[in-house]
Amino acid sequence: MVTKVVDLRSDTVTKPSEAMRAAMAAAEVDDDVLGADPTAQRFEAEMARIMGKEAALFVPSGTMGNLVSVLAHCDTRGSEVILGDNSHIHIYENGGIATLGGVHPRTVPNNPDGTMDVDKIVAAIRHRDGAMYYPTTRLICLENTHGNTGGKCLSVEYTDKVGEVAQSHGLKLHIDGARIFNASVALGVPVHRLVRAADSVSVCLSKGLGAPVGSVIVGSKDFIYKAKILRKTLGGGMRQVGILCAAAYVAVRDTVGKLADDHTKAKVLADGLKKIKQFTVDLTSVETNMVFFDIADPHITPDKLCQVLEQRNVLAMPASSKSVRLVTHYQISDSDVQYTLTCIEKAVEEILSGNAKFERLTNGTTTNSYGH
Amino acid sequence: MATKVVDLRSDTVTKPSEAMRAAMAAADVDDDVLGADPTACRFEAEMARIMGKEAALFVPSGTMANLISVLAHCDARGSEVILGDDSHVHVYEHGGISTLGGVHPRTVPNNPDGTMDVDRIVAAIRSTDGALYYPTTRLICLENTHGNSGGKCLTVEYTDKVGEVAKAHGLKLHIDGARIFNASVALGVPVDRLVRAADSVSVCLSKGIGAPVGSVIVGSKAFIQKAKILRKTLGGGMRQVGVLCAAAEVGVRDTLGKLADDHRKAKVLADGLKKIKHFTVDLTSVETNMVFFDMADPRITPAKLCQALKQRSVLAMPTSSKSVRFVVHYQISDGDIQYALTCIEEAVEEILACDAKSERCSTNGTS
């Protein structure tokens, strides 16, 4: 008998629904490189409309979404981009903007709420007088929700403010909006309003929205035209890609409405974790679908906890030497949340009593956090 | 009523079969980045086995497969790769190996048969004495079948010879094998034998094999491990990618056996074209599923011909100011071939008649 695995490692683990599978099987397709795949076109037009931008482009991953965006905005040699020192692009995308794109990163510290101080952003913008020594700043990147700080929402006021800074300095603004819909729902701000100040946004379809593959980039027609060529250059030009777009279409149609529930479940998890005295949880910092908690008891490590949980078919991700991350999604039920809390309580007892048996983590997670 | 379009522009236009669609819908999937998608794993293992290599990696496109392969072999700064001046990697992949990867290309002329002269390859290898001036040659790339020369097959003897040269000089050998199965079938050489000399091969699934998306790279375990990281860096790390691998698996199972038929249909097409006196066709150069033919009559241009054909629902690709290419695939029937030939004859008459009347024929801009 197969026991259900409660996978809280990330919202990327969502598997395609029956409706998505049916849509993929029935998708009307064509060669999207030689011409245009009709399902891809329809989906891209719909995403552009939803996000309030002129055009959109489907790409295989969020990494490519961000890479294409940075390279498109910074297509002149000697460019620099301002971004958070704890941002996904800077930490978890293999430094591709630099190693592949030749773009120099200039980091500004991320605050616990996911923002960067606006005055620090301004201070990081290179002065033209220094052109003999400085690269040229061309772009500012924000991340909303901000993953490493706990799935924190950047408000529309903050985003607009950074947009004004960008505009007044002749810079572009890109939002890594992998989880932008979570932010929109949590803030109660329509997504197109939330990103209005941005020249481009990358949006993941394969995370909380549940599609099997892909992200979408949105921006102006000119930007998307450049992006399309970069996508091909990077090797992201897929042929009958409507297969994937059909599933993504269903995801946007069916799952955006369930995100609020994911946030509720995250709060329930956090409330339950707070009751365990060996952990420290800041309930106010649970804004969307992520829960980070610190382990206060030195006898318990994130690795040990995750290993023991795995024995009970609950998967979680160590986030640092002292913390663990749980991410909820629509394929986690309320009873899964309760089951998880029970397992965590038992795991803690087991570890403290010395009865736990530790096996190497088999679910592909290691002691390093991936930041997915 | 929708007329069937006979699409001979490329074998990339193949649409997923019913069996593929069913396989995609039913695929057993998981997060291939956080862990491993079971369908992707199974498919990659099978492709490695078929190609006679240790490991394999599924990627979104042939362009990414070649880009990853070159970058993985040439991961030291200051690297150079030897490749054909008329190769797909050099001509049609945006120079990505250089613009993104910082790898310098050194081209050697491609012969009409798709090969490069071995002595010219050797001559292009940088001497280590010149290290103060020269980049370091690390890789040789072959393309089999060779697209721009007409879908030509590189023999196993030639491939082995280039492999020996590579080995003798401490270089790696990568084969852009987008249509390697076509070569294997046409030559009657098992595909694993054909690529034995290569350190890596890129194989397209979305061309003649008919899958909707993707290619696969094969090579040693160590190479594929590097390739996996490069794939993620380029943005090719897809999550529940088994949906695509399921279709590719069906493609390999169901369509390989149909490639020989594609070659036969290409020959029928070429024979028919030869009968039209306004065209020049070299029948001996039709080795696989591609037919290139030249316009012998200046009144007929590739653009005009393709437009006139398009009006008859036959799609083809102009390849130069004087030539047109047809590519055959399993979704082109024998009846479609005959229909295409009839349309071509009609198109030629129409263009010549138009020209004779000195009227402006309608132009809607094919290039």
Side-chain angles (χ1 to χ4, degrees), chain A residues 165-236:
Chain A
V165 166
Q167 184 138 63
S168 62
H169 288 85
L171 312 177
K172 300 291 185 189
L173 173 61
H174 171 71
I175 297 179
D176 175 357
R179 298 183 174 97
I180 193 72
F181 281 105
N182 292 78
S184 163
V185 163
L187 293 168
V189 175
V191 71
H192 58 81
R193 175 63 187 92
L194 188 52
V195 303
R196 198 168 70 191
D199 295 283
S200 60
V201 190
S202 59
V203 187
C204 272
L205 305 153
S206 64
K207 292 190 169 76
L209 298 183
V213 171
S215 280
V216 89
I217 314 168
V218 294
S220 71
K221 280 196 181 124
D222 284 347
F223 170 80
I224 291 298
Y225 180 77
K226 271 207 235 173
K228 199 164 179 176
I229 293 169
L230 278 161
R231 178 186 72 172
K232 182 105 181 57
T233 308
L234 290 163

Side-chain angles (χ1 to χ4, degrees), chain A residues 7 9-10 12-16 18 21-31 34-35 59-64 67 71 88 92-96 99-101 206-207 210-214 229-230 232-241 243-244 317 363-365 370 372, chain B residues 7 9-16 18 21-31 33-35 59-65 67 71 88 92-96 99-102 206-207 210-214 229-230 232-244 317:
Chain A
D7 197 341
R9 287 174 298 164
S10 179
T12 56
V13 306
T14 46
K15 292 188 181 167
E18 283 311 314
R21 287 173 180 275
M24 286 191 285
E28 187 198 346
V29 295
D30 208 336
D31 190 328
L34 266 195
V59 289
S61 69
T63 295
M64 192 182 283
L67 182 55
L71 266 48
H88 196 272
Y92 300 113
E93 298 188 10
N94 300 86
T99 64
L100 295 173
S206 64
K207 292 190 169 76
V213 171
I229 293 169
L230 278 161
K232 182 105 181 57
T233 308
L234 290 163
M238 295 182 277
R239 300 283 173 178
Q240 285 75 25
V241 72
I243 304 284
L244 298 176
M317 193 177 286
N363 64 19
T365 327
Y370 288 100
H372 292 294
Chain B
D7 197 343
R9 288 174 300 166
S10 179
D11 44 4
T12 57
V13 305
T14 46
K15 291 189 182 166
E18 283 312 313
R21 288 174 180 275
M24 288 191 282
D28 181 20
V29 295
D30 207 335
D31 189 325
V33 175
L34 267 196
V59 290
S61 68
T63 294
M64 192 183 282
L67 181 55
L71 266 49
H88 196 274
Y92 300 114
E93 298 187 11
H94 298 272
T99 64
L100 295 174
S206 64
K207 294 189 167 77
V213 171
I229 294 170
L230 279 161
K232 183 100 180 60
T233 308
L234 289 164
M238 295 183 277
R239 300 281 172 179
Q240 285 75 25
V241 72
V243 301
L244 297 176
M317 195 177 283

Side-chain angles (χ1 to χ4, degrees), chain A residues 16-308:
Chain A
S17 62
E18 283 311 314
M20 285 179 204
R21 287 173 180 275
M24 286 191 285
E28 187 198 346
V29 295
D30 208 336
D31 190 328
D32 198 50
V33 175
L34 266 195
D37 179 291
T39 301
Q41 277 201 305
R42 202 164 52 231
F43 177 66
E44 286 163 348
E46 179 63 5
M47 285 307 297
R49 189 192 66 77
I50 289 174
M51 304 297 296
K53 301 298 178 195
E54 287 181 353
L57 190 73
F58 183 83
V59 289
S61 69
T63 295
M64 192 182 283
N66 289 327
L67 182 55
V68 166
S69 298
V70 172
L71 266 48
H73 289 306
C74 300
D75 56 0
T76 310
R77 186 185 301 288
S79 293
E80 185 164 89
V81 55
I82 293 171
L83 73 175
D85 68 347
N86 204 7
S87 62
H88 196 272
I89 294 175
H90 193 65
I91 305 286
Y92 300 113
E93 298 188 10
N94 300 86
I97 61 167
T99 64
L100 295 173
V103 179
H104 196 249
R106 184 78 184 274
T107 60
V108 169
N110 277 119
N111 300 316
D113 65 358
T115 62
M116 297 174 274
D117 286 352
V118 176
D119 56 350
K120 285 184 171 167
I121 293 176
V122 174
I125 299 171
R126 301 282 195 162
H127 201 285
R128 262 186 290 278
D129 287 353
M132 180 70 35
Y133 306 90
Y134 297 159
T136 308
T137 311
R138 293 196 191 278
L139 176 67
I140 303 172
C141 286
L142 294 178
E143 183 181 325
N144 196 4
T145 63
H146 193 270
N148 267 5
T149 52
K152 297 285 171 66
C153 304
L154 305 188
S155 65
V156 65
E157 293 80 18
Y158 174 78
T159 306
D160 284 353
K161 182 86 192 105
V162 176
E164 278 162 35
V165 166
Q167 184 138 63
S168 62
H169 288 85
L171 312 177
K172 300 291 185 189
L173 173 61
H174 171 71
I175 297 179
D176 175 357
R179 298 183 174 97
I180 193 72
F181 281 105
N182 292 78
S184 163
V185 163
L187 293 168
V189 175
V191 71
H192 58 81
R193 175 63 187 92
L194 188 52
V195 303
R196 198 168 70 191
D199 295 283
S200 60
V201 190
S202 59
V203 187
C204 272
L205 305 153
S206 64
K207 292 190 169 76
L209 298 183
V213 171
S215 280
V216 89
I217 314 168
V218 294
S220 71
K221 280 196 181 124
D222 284 347
F223 170 80
I224 291 298
Y225 180 77
K226 271 207 235 173
K228 199 164 179 176
I229 293 169
L230 278 161
R231 178 186 72 172
K232 182 105 181 57
T233 308
L234 290 163
M238 295 182 277
R239 300 283 173 178
Q240 285 75 25
V241 72
I243 304 284
L244 298 176
C245 293
Y249 198 89
V250 171
V252 174
R253 184 194 72 197
D254 289 359
T255 321
V256 174
K258 299 180 186 171
L259 294 177
D261 244 8
D262 295 344
H263 302 170
T264 307
K265 283 175 280 192
K267 287 187 168 62
V268 170
L269 257 179
D271 283 340
L273 289 164
K274 189 133 182 95
K275 298 186 177 119
I276 301 173
K277 60 180 180 165
Q278 285 81 11
F279 300 152
T280 328
V281 194
D282 176 5
L283 292 179
T284 61
S285 83
V286 179
E287 295 184 12
T288 55
N289 67 330
M290 291 193 193
V291 183
F292 280 70
F293 62 99
D294 287 344
I295 301 179
D297 188 319
H299 299 103
I300 306 170
T301 66
D303 277 356
K304 283 183 185 170
L305 183 64
C306 291
Q307 282 175 51
V308 177

Side-chain angles (χ1 to χ4, degrees), chain B residues 133-302:
Chain B
Y133 306 88
Y134 296 159
T136 308
T137 311
R138 295 198 189 277
L139 176 68
I140 303 172
C141 285
L142 295 178
E143 183 181 325
N144 197 5
T145 63
H146 193 268
N148 268 5
S149 54
K152 297 282 171 67
C153 304
L154 305 187
T155 63
V156 65
E157 293 80 18
Y158 174 78
T159 306
D160 284 354
K161 182 85 191 107
V162 177
E164 279 162 35
V165 166
K167 207 160 164 132
H169 291 85
L171 311 177
K172 300 292 185 186
L173 173 62
H174 170 72
I175 297 179
D176 175 357
R179 298 182 174 97
I180 193 74
F181 283 109
N182 291 78
S184 163
V185 163
L187 293 167
V189 175
V191 73
D192 58 349
R193 177 62 189 90
L194 188 53
V195 303
R196 199 168 70 192
D199 295 282
S200 60
V201 191
S202 59
V203 187
C204 270
L205 306 154
S206 64
K207 294 189 167 77
I209 293 175
V213 171
S215 281
V216 92
I217 313 168
V218 294
S220 71
K221 279 193 183 128
F223 170 81
I224 292 297
Q225 180 54 33
K226 270 208 236 174
K228 200 165 179 175
I229 294 170
L230 279 161
R231 179 185 71 172
K232 183 100 180 60
T233 308
L234 289 164
M238 295 183 277
R239 300 281 172 179
Q240 285 75 25
V241 72
V243 301
L244 297 176
C245 293
E249 208 168 38
V250 171
V252 172
R253 185 194 72 200
D254 290 356
T255 321
L256 281 190
K258 300 180 187 172
L259 293 178
D261 232 17
D262 294 345
H263 302 171
R264 182 189 57 75
K265 283 177 282 191
K267 286 186 170 62
V268 170
L269 198 46
D271 284 341
L273 288 165
K274 187 126 181 101
K275 296 186 178 122
I276 302 173
K277 58 176 180 174
H278 312 276
F279 300 149
T280 330
V281 194
D282 176 4
L283 292 180
T284 62
S285 84
V286 179
E287 296 183 10
T288 56
N289 66 330
M290 291 193 193
V291 183
F292 280 68
F293 61 103
D294 289 342
M295 318 281 108
D297 188 320
R299 294 170 291 173
I300 307 171
T301 65

